[in-house]
Amino acid sequence: MNWLLFFLLTLILGLTTTSSESNYNYYRLPTALRPQKYFLSILTDLDNPKGFSFNGTVKILIEVLENTRNITLHSKDLKIDVCQISLRKVNSSEKRDNCVNSTAVNPTHNYYILNTCQELLAGNVYELTMSFSADIKTQLEGYYRSSYEDPETNETRWITITQFEPVSARLAFPCFDEPNYKAPFVVTLGHHKKYNSLSNMPVKKTKPHESLTDYVWTEFQESVPMSTYLVAYSINDYSHKPSTLRNGTLFRTWARPNALDQCDFAADIGPKVLQYYEELFGIKFPLPKMDQIAIPDFKTGAMENWGLVAYVETALLVSATHTSLEDKMNVAETVAHELAHQWFGNLVTMKWWTDLWLNEGFATYVSYLGLAHTNPEWNFLEKNSFGDLKSIFRIDAMESSHPISRPIQLVSEITESFDDISYRKGSAVIRMMHLFLGEKTFRSGLKSYLQTYKYKNAEQDNLWESLTAAAHENDDLPKNYEIKTIMDSWTLQSGYPVINVTRDYAAGKAKLTQERYLLNSEVPRSNHKTCWWVPLSYTTQSKLDFNNTSPKDWLECSKDGLSLPKTIGNLPGADQWVIFNTKLTAPYKVNYDAQNWKLLIRTLNSKDFESIHLVNRAQLIDDIFTFAWTGEQDYETALGVIGYLQRERELLPWKAADEHLSNLDKLVRSTPKYGSYKRYVKKLIAPLYEELNGINDTLGSIQSQETTHLKKIAVSLACKYQVSDCVSRSKDLYRDWRSKANPDKDNPVPVDVRDVVYCTSVEHGSDEDWEFLWTRYLNANVETEKDTILNALTCTREVWLLQRFLEMMFDPQDDIRSKNAASAFGLVASDEVGWWLAKKYVLDNLDLIHKNFSPMSAYIAKFLPSLSVNVNTRREYNEFTDLLDSLKDLLKDMKQAVEQTKESMLIEVQWHERKYLQFFQAIQQKLKEA
Ligand code: BES
Ligand code: ZN
């Protein structure tokens, strides 16, 4: 080509070369530019027999902060039409004052780089327009499709939805896909007029499409400034339930038409919680409307898109007849969580994913406050705070854990951060602050933080500043203390401490020391020179003021991070116990000297056991079980503590015990001594089962959620260990159900024990019992019921049924959605027979699994631990770690899950080597005593 002609063409097309590889390889975008506003329009075609696709145009107003010769933004798997790229200076009189002369890509970081004809000069604003297209796939991220079956015609109906968090907006349109680039969005959706279209904002106007018959453009109002991961849109043929909000905000709950009657609960609780948050935070919900929508295929439980929250059906829909209280509370929690994000996350957003916990930890904790307000009878705050602590006491006691706030460079590291550390430890440390600062300071600190950073981004230090200021103003913190010093010790370090309390009974004093608590007893604790600022609350046998959770003192750290010794005085004599960490105010364990444990055991085993607050009874159970595991205490003491459970009727102590008992069960279920373990547990739970009237009661008459949950624990343990009539009653109920003319409508099994009854009946039942349940699965219209059934189907003892079921789970043609398949797989694998099958199945079918599940690595990560449960010896441990190593490629984005699995296995092998005999000696002893 003649160079002159080439040059002219370049001028006309504004482009010389096709994409090449760029050499800019840093994981963050360059800082020379900032998006000011996005105009995004997307045309969706859901009815083309040749395939589903969308195409779009994005116009971005870009402010230049530093001179630069390129525009670097994110784009992934989008076909960008280079001929249609245009770039011009805003407010310029010339038509062609700049252009793009070449483009390049960086596939590692999903960068799309536009090299400009002329330098972009600081202070100017440019308008960049790009056109692009892509298939609407089913991969559950980006702009994707999901489906449901029309019950009348049995036809598949398609809908679309977005899932952008954390880094998938770039799959849907070219953008600056980092949370700190906030900008307003004007979204316009083109679609067939038979569909609804939804986005973050209300509709502004609709007009016919210029060329496509029966197509329309729906333009939405301009949004408030927001991060790209919160943008959302959906094309669907759903129905909705409207709710009213006092201040006029429109609130709607959307679902497939056949599930509209399942929207009532969410449509009621959503607005209530939203209104409560407005009061709590002192900031009105800033958008004119709020939609919540149930999506059949969804990657997580829910996503907090601003003004358009999306949920998996089980997390939004409630059926009056088919949803258990537990599932309903899960819906309430999810709704409260996502609505809390509208402030924590959407209004104020973390600067970078390092501080993801500010989003997730806050949403988690604030949801408990929200539900404590709307449904105080659920005891959500107490129950879930304990649940959070219980789970972090386990995972955060592993060396493979990580700090709440952590450096993040890779996309896989962002994804891995959506874990119990961000959510539950995040929530636990916020609760700790709430309790040591008090209501007034906590609220005013949060309000000022939200006010200061609204529509902007923040990092944890900003929160510490707001809270310190409020605390000093209200005298809720010694003037020489800073929240930052205290909280950095909790958020920048892995793990949590155990406080060792050694009492001097004669002097009425106790010496307190701290060290990191680790489950792996092969690592010397002295390796970990860590120190936490620990608020110390405590009470004594005579004072019993458990409700006073404010710190009486602090365990402090020196400037170089060493723990400073502390002695506490004014303690009682040798006949009275002390308990530290009243109501588990902060995430630490407490170990006492032998005498104090003796005193505690005495009270627990007396009629006065309820003088110890129920949360601290749960704490003592959880602590003593783990101390027996790691050797600080022995199993005789542990069994001494839990013996009192025969009289315990509160939920939380039972929850604590239940977890440890089922853990131990897994460890010993295939050992020759299992028989005596079963006898022991049976004895422990029989009184509770009998007192709650076994399975017999129809739970409808029981009001309290505590009893319902307790009954659930009692019944599932009773059926597992074949206590009393549990198995036969389950089978009776199941037989009764099978005999109904229309079992899909008419189900005599009480809804809150259905999982146990189904599982027990399938376990002890015939092939026909399994088939009956499978048919119910296919016919069910309520997703929570479907989940319950699917889980119960894994309970069969028939190897061939299990094998067939495994194959059905991984067959994309079959009727099991991949999310459910992953959880059912985990259940099969956690069974002693199923484990062999599951392991073999995975090894034989690696490619297939990888193909079907690879975009959903989180699912694989979830069922990994269940494959490791039957590992008891060093040899098995080595075999399994070799296996994991050989699967490196498949598991490359799941480093954290792999490390945690390995460490859990190691800890369990250690238990077998060191504790197995001691444990059974203690069990034998207890059985003899009876
Ligand atoms: N922001 C998350 C959704 C999310 C999770 C996006 C992981 C990307 C990766 C959402 O707010 C959330 O936390 N959902 C929870 C439910 C909640 C009740 C704990 C979920 O999906 O499990
Ligand atoms: Zn969340």
Side-chain angles (χ1 to χ4, degrees):
M1 194 190 298
N2 176 316
W3 75 266
L4 186 65
L5 184 66
F6 185 66
F7 181 71
L8 283 175
L9 263 177
T10 308
L11 276 185
I12 296 163
L13 294 175
L15 213 67
T16 50
T17 51
T18 46
S19 287
S20 62
E21 288 260 342
S22 133
N23 52 15
Y24 180 75
N25 205 24
Y26 187 58
Y27 68 97
R28 297 286 301 267
L29 289 173
T31 51
L33 304 172
R34 187 170 62 203
Q36 272 189 342
K37 194 188 278 198
Y38 288 83
F39 297 86
L40 176 64
S41 73
I42 302 284
L43 182 70
T44 303
D45 186 357
L46 275 180
D47 299 294
N48 185 344
K50 283 202 222 114
F52 302 89
S53 64
F54 69 90
N55 46 65
T57 306
V58 64
K59 183 165 85 184
I60 317 176
L61 298 184
I62 301 171
E63 182 185 349
V64 184
L65 304 173
E66 297 154 36
N67 294 0
T68 176
R69 295 210 66 111
N70 73 71
I71 299 173
T72 300
L73 38 66
H74 289 104
S75 167
K76 191 180 171 195
D77 297 345
L78 293 173
K79 278 177 258 127
I80 294 178
D81 186 349
V82 282
C83 301
Q84 291 203 46
I85 297 176
S86 91
L87 177 67
R88 58 170 206 97
K89 198 159 94 194
V90 170
N91 292 336
S92 154
S93 51
E94 298 157 55
K95 257 206 145 133
R96 283 209 146 267
D97 52 10
N98 206 336
C99 61
V100 170
N101 63 22
S102 71
T103 63
V105 292
N106 173 330
T108 316
H109 299 298
N110 317 133
Y111 293 148
Y112 192 82
I113 296 131
L114 305 119
N115 297 310
T116 57
C117 303
Q118 285 142 39
E119 188 164 41
L120 305 167
L121 298 179
N124 289 332
V125 178
Y126 284 83
E127 182 187 285
L128 170 71
T129 309
M130 298 169 83
S131 294
F132 53 90
S133 62
D135 293 333
I136 311 176
K137 295 202 276 281
T138 52
Q139 80 281 44
L140 313 188
E141 51 193 16
Y143 186 42
Y144 73 95
R145 68 193 146 98
S146 173
S147 66
Y148 67 91
E149 203 171 280
D150 185 323
E152 316 266 274
T153 62
N154 286 347
E155 277 173 324
T156 303
R157 297 259 177 261
W158 291 100
I159 65 148
T160 64
I161 182 73
T162 51
Q163 168 57 45
F164 290 169
E165 192 181 19
V167 289
S168 295
R170 64 190 68 170
L171 284 164
F173 60 97
C175 57
F176 296 81
D177 199 9
E178 290 184 359
N180 55 325
Y181 287 119
K182 288 195 176 188
F185 281 79
V186 178
V187 175
T188 304
L189 298 177
H191 53 92
H192 193 284
K193 65 177 187 206
K194 70 184 171 191
Y195 293 114
N196 310 306
S197 59
L198 296 173
S199 184
N200 307 83
M201 297 297 289
V203 174
K204 185 176 171 193
K205 60 174 190 267
T206 307
K207 60 175 188 206
H209 190 276
E210 53 285 357
S211 53
L212 296 171
T213 359
D214 290 335
Y215 269 61
V216 290
W217 286 112
T218 304
E219 185 187 329
F220 298 88
Q221 290 174 21
E222 178 174 327
S223 78
V224 295
M226 62 181 181
S227 307
T228 45
Y229 78 88
L230 291 169
V231 173
Y233 35 91
S234 166
I235 303 292
N236 62 67
D237 58 358
Y238 276 12
S239 308
H240 75 273
K241 269 257 139 76
S243 325
T244 38
L245 264 180
R246 242 184 292 148
N247 61 14
T249 309
L250 180 66
F251 199 114
R252 298 175 297 188
T253 305
W254 297 79
R256 58 190 160 84
N258 197 31
L260 187 64
D261 61 335
Q262 299 172 39
C263 290
D264 292 346
F265 178 70
D268 175 53
I269 198 154
K272 282 189 191 148
V273 172
L274 197 77
Q275 244 153 243
Y276 172 70
Y277 291 156
E278 292 188 331
E279 288 156 28
L280 181 69
F281 303 133
I283 299 178
K284 201 184 148 326
F285 177 64
L287 306 186
K289 67 94 181 170
M290 179 63 170
D291 286 308
Q292 36 187 17
I293 183 168
I295 309 293
D297 302 277
F298 204 68
K299 192 166 83 169
T300 62
M303 176 62 213
E304 69 266 26
N305 311 310
W306 216 347
L308 176 53
V309 183
Y311 297 80
V312 70
E313 287 196 1
T314 48
L316 188 70
L317 304 183
V318 170
S319 142
T321 48
H322 286 77
T323 305
S324 66
L325 178 63
E326 197 176 354
D327 288 334
K328 185 166 157 179
M329 286 170 73
N330 182 42
V331 167
E333 183 183 347
T334 313
V335 170
H337 176 105
E338 305 312 331
L339 295 181
H341 272 311
Q342 308 299 309
W343 285 261
F344 282 99
N346 300 9
L347 189 63
V348 179
T349 313
M350 70 256 146
K351 267 202 176 126
W352 178 242
W353 299 104
T354 296
D355 280 318
L356 173 71
W357 81 275
L358 283 179
N359 270 15
E360 297 303 347
F362 259 106
T364 302
Y365 184 61
V366 167
S367 73
Y368 307 162
L369 300 180
L371 295 175
H373 174 82
T374 57
N375 294 69
E377 75 285 4
W378 285 346
N379 287 339
F380 227 89
L381 191 53
E382 187 170 87
K383 192 166 138 272
N384 280 32
S385 303
F386 176 70
D388 288 343
L389 288 166
K390 192 161 61 74
S391 75
I392 62 173
F393 279 151
R394 178 164 174 81
I395 53 156
D396 210 21
M398 299 209 278
E399 286 202 293
S400 50
S401 190
H402 62 85
I404 293 182
S405 174
R406 60 195 302 211
I408 294 220
Q409 300 201 353
L410 304 173
V411 166
S412 63
E413 291 170 341
I414 305 177
T415 312
E416 280 180 340
S417 297
F418 289 86
D419 66 355
D420 282 350
I421 296 292
S422 297
Y423 283 72
R424 291 171 174 259
K425 193 178 180 190
S427 160
V429 301
I430 294 163
R431 171 172 174 267
M432 170 176 81
M433 278 196 301
H434 191 173
L435 293 174
F436 77 66
L437 288 174
E439 195 62 36
K440 185 170 158 215
T441 291
F442 183 69
R443 283 197 186 204
S444 69
L446 288 191
K447 273 185 193 168
S448 90
Y449 167 77
L450 288 171
Q451 275 297 348
T452 312
Y453 297 100
K454 63 181 180 189
Y455 303 114
K456 294 195 284 219
N457 297 75
E459 50 197 350
Q460 62 175 28
D461 282 355
N462 302 129
L463 177 65
W464 307 153
E465 283 154 20
S466 300
L467 286 166
T468 304
H472 287 161
E473 197 179 302
N474 296 336
D475 271 339
D476 276 328
L477 195 69
K479 284 276 182 291
N480 57 339
Y481 276 37
E482 301 265 322
I483 296 288
K484 178 173 165 57
T485 325
I486 298 166
M487 293 309 289
D488 276 356
S489 78
W490 293 98
T491 59
L492 301 181
Q493 306 185 101
S494 289
Y496 62 87
V498 49
I499 309 298
N500 298 304
V501 179
T502 317
R503 292 179 62 184
D504 178 341
Y505 292 86
K509 288 183 181 160
K511 200 174 129 246
L512 269 53
T513 58
Q514 60 162 304
E515 59 187 355
R516 174 159 184 203
Y517 185 71
L518 287 167
L519 282 167
N520 181 348
S521 42
E522 276 164 18
V523 203
R525 299 226 172 125
S526 50
N527 277 4
H528 294 267
K529 292 238 174 323
T530 31
C531 177
W532 287 265
W533 284 73
V534 184
L536 296 169
S537 54
Y538 53 89
T539 191
T540 66
Q541 193 164 349
S542 60
K543 292 223 171 73
L544 300 175
D545 57 346
F546 285 95
N547 286 330
N548 183 359
T549 51
S550 53
K552 291 197 167 69
D553 213 326
W554 287 81
L555 261 185
E556 301 178 340
C557 310
S558 70
K559 283 243 160 2
D560 37 4
L562 295 179
S563 173
L564 300 170
K566 173 116 300 167
T567 302
I568 295 211
N570 286 329
L571 294 178
D575 59 342
Q576 282 197 30
W577 47 253
V578 297
I579 287 182
F580 278 78
N581 207 4
T582 46
K583 288 211 213 153
L584 273 173
T585 319
Y588 61 92
K589 288 190 167 294
V590 192
N591 194 9
Y592 304 99
D593 54 54
Q595 171 65 11
N596 200 62
W597 276 113
K598 259 202 201 108
L599 293 167
L600 288 166
I601 291 176
R602 199 196 292 156
T603 299
L604 285 173
N605 286 287
S606 75
K607 64 175 180 11
D608 292 332
F609 69 96
E610 283 167 315
S611 65
I612 300 175
H613 190 275
L614 70 100
V615 173
N616 287 92
R617 304 207 290 279
Q619 168 207 35
L620 292 173
I621 291 170
D622 191 58
D623 280 358
I624 198 68
F625 261 124
T626 30
F627 293 148
W629 185 293
T630 43
E632 285 82 1
Q633 298 294 336
D634 53 31
Y635 272 105
E636 235 179 274
T637 315
L639 298 189
V641 169
I642 65 162
Y644 94 99
L645 282 171
Q646 294 196 358
R647 276 172 296 115
E648 179 63 85
R649 299 293 176 262
E650 287 288 346
L651 178 64
L652 294 188
W654 270 108
K655 262 190 156 301
D658 181 39
E659 180 175 303
H660 286 282
L661 292 173
S662 54
N663 239 347
L664 288 163
D665 183 280
K666 277 191 208 125
L667 287 178
V668 300
R669 66 189 176 186
S670 44
T671 70
K673 293 184 197 292
Y674 186 49
S676 45
Y677 180 71
K678 279 208 290 199
R679 259 183 293 142
Y680 174 75
V681 181
K682 249 172 133 151
K683 236 181 64 189
L684 209 55
I685 57 165
L688 178 70
Y689 178 78
E690 299 299 348
E691 189 175 312
L692 294 175
N693 196 14
I695 231 171
N696 294 328
D697 214 338
T698 48
L699 287 160
S701 62
I702 292 173
Q703 296 300 314
S704 103
Q705 72 85 19
E706 301 284 326
T707 320
T708 311
H709 274 106
L710 195 58
K711 181 147 185 138
K712 179 66 187 301
I713 291 179
V715 166
S716 80
L717 284 169
C719 277
K720 178 166 173 183
Y721 294 100
Q722 307 193 7
V723 171
S724 179
D725 63 354
C726 196
V727 172
S728 61
R729 275 298 294 146
S730 294
K731 291 174 77 174
D732 290 347
L733 283 164
Y734 195 76
R735 203 172 308 119
D736 190 13
W737 187 27
R738 278 194 59 180
S739 69
K740 298 286 178 201
N742 185 352
D744 295 318
K745 288 247 145 41
D746 196 0
N747 187 340
V749 187
V751 68
D752 288 301
V753 289
R754 277 184 192 168
D755 50 357
V756 183
V757 170
Y758 296 174
C759 176
T760 308
S761 306
V762 163
E763 181 182 344
H764 298 272
S766 61
D767 299 357
E768 289 75 32
D769 285 322
W770 198 95
E771 295 297 342
F772 170 78
L773 203 57
W774 175 246
T775 311
R776 304 285 75 73
Y777 175 81
L778 294 177
N779 294 351
N781 183 38
V782 179
E783 270 307 297
T784 46
E785 173 80 352
K786 265 189 185 292
D787 265 11
T788 307
I789 295 177
L790 204 66
N791 292 346
L793 288 168
T794 68
C795 298
T796 176
R797 307 266 97 188
E798 293 288 337
V799 176
W800 77 273
L801 280 175
L802 276 178
Q803 182 62 28
R804 191 184 63 175
F805 195 32
L806 274 175
E807 288 172 19
M808 286 156 79
M809 286 174 205
F810 288 97
D811 184 350
Q813 305 307 326
D814 239 309
D815 303 278
I816 307 177
R817 294 188 197 268
S818 41
K819 179 173 192 140
N820 303 349
S823 78
F825 177 86
L827 284 174
V828 172
S830 62
D831 173 81
E832 53 277 52
V833 181
W835 182 76
W836 294 100
L837 299 177
K839 191 170 148 197
K840 182 166 183 316
Y841 187 87
V842 169
L843 292 182
D844 292 348
N845 295 285
L846 276 176
D847 287 343
L848 176 87
I849 294 176
H850 195 35
K851 210 168 94 228
N852 288 349
F853 282 85
S854 59
M856 295 163 273
S857 56
Y859 296 165
I860 307 184
K862 275 200 184 122
F863 66 65
L864 201 58
S866 38
L867 271 184
S868 70
V869 287
N870 269 15
V871 170
N872 295 340
T873 65
R874 290 270 157 182
R875 190 179 52 76
E876 287 161 345
Y877 169 76
N878 290 334
E879 259 174 37
F880 204 91
T881 45
D882 287 350
L883 172 70
L884 290 175
D885 290 342
S886 71
L887 300 180
K888 254 205 187 92
D889 279 347
L890 177 68
L891 302 174
K892 71 175 186 318
D893 290 337
M894 292 168 253
K895 290 208 179 74
Q896 186 173 298
V898 169
E899 288 312 310
Q900 283 168 346
T901 303
K902 283 186 184 169
E903 195 173 345
S904 299
M905 280 193 298
L906 181 65
I907 290 163
E908 283 166 12
V909 169
Q910 287 171 0
W911 187 89
H912 276 281
E913 290 170 348
R914 295 176 195 180
K915 297 290 163 203
Y916 175 71
L917 287 177
Q918 200 220 328
F919 174 65
F920 274 107
Q921 272 161 10
I923 292 272
Q924 289 300 352
Q925 187 58 35
K926 282 285 156 205
L927 286 171
K928 254 192 247 148
E929 278 169 23

